[in-house]
Amino acid sequence: MSIDYKSIGRRIKAARISLDMTQERLAEKVNLSPSHLSNIETGTTKVSLSTIVKLANALHVSVDSLLADSVVQSKAVFEQDIQTILSDCDDYEIRVIADIAAATKKTLRKEAKLKSAWKKPGC
C-alpha cells in the first residue's frame, strides 16, 4: 500500500481548522515555513515521519489519526470519524445515514462474494 499524502494533508488541515489555528501559527509551532505547511496540507509534497509526529503533537491528535487512510488497521480512527460526523445530526439525519450505511454494507458484501466467485477457476 502506498502512502496517501493528499489524505494526510486533508487530515492535518481538518485538525488545524478544528482548533481554529492558522497555517502560519501551526507552521511556527512545528518550525516549518507556512508555504511548506501549505504544500503538506495539499499533498503536493511528501512529509517526513518526524514532521508528522510534530504536527500530531501540535494539533493534539494521534499520528494514527493523520495516517488513517494509509494504514490498513485503522478501524478505530474511522469509527471516531463516523462518530464526529454524526455528533450534530438530528433524528431524521441519523436515520437516513443509518439506512445508507446499511445499504452500502450490504452492497459491499454482495460485491465481495461476486468478486471472489468470479476469480474461482473453472467459472
Side-chain angles (χ1 to χ4, degrees), residues 58-70:
L59 295 167
H60 309 290
V61 298
S62 71
V63 171
D64 287 354
S65 70
L66 298 180
L67 298 175
D69 298 298
S70 300

Side-chain angles (χ1 to χ4, degrees), residues 2-117:
S2 63
I3 296 175
D4 187 344
Y5 291 102
K6 288 190 183 299
S7 292
I8 293 169
R10 281 192 298 269
R11 287 182 176 277
I12 290 168
K13 181 177 182 179
R16 177 180 60 75
I17 290 170
S18 75
L19 292 175
D20 198 29
M21 189 184 301
T22 65
Q23 278 186 339
E24 291 76 15
R25 177 69 184 121
L26 179 57
E28 180 182 310
K29 286 181 91 163
V30 296
N31 199 26
L32 294 174
S33 71
S35 62
H36 186 56
L37 179 59
S38 176
N39 288 333
I40 290 170
E41 287 188 356
T42 58
T44 56
T45 189
K46 293 181 179 180
V47 58
S48 70
L49 180 58
S50 62
T51 300
I52 289 174
V53 170
K54 289 177 189 176
L55 288 164
N57 287 331
L59 295 167
H60 309 290
V61 298
S62 71
V63 171
D64 287 354
S65 70
L66 298 180
L67 298 175
D69 298 298
S70 300
V71 178
V72 176
Q73 299 297 324
S74 56
K75 182 179 178 182
V77 173
F78 291 117
E79 286 173 343
Q80 180 62 42
D81 287 352
I82 291 169
Q83 187 176 15
T84 301
I85 291 166
L86 298 177
S87 67
D88 66 344
C89 290
D90 63 25
D91 290 345
Y92 174 75
E93 292 169 331
I94 290 284
R95 176 57 192 244
V96 171
I97 292 169
D99 289 348
I100 292 168
T104 301
K105 178 180 172 183
K106 182 179 177 182
T107 300
L108 286 169
R109 292 193 172 169
K110 178 182 173 187
E111 290 300 317
K113 288 179 185 175
L114 289 173
K115 186 176 179 182
S116 66

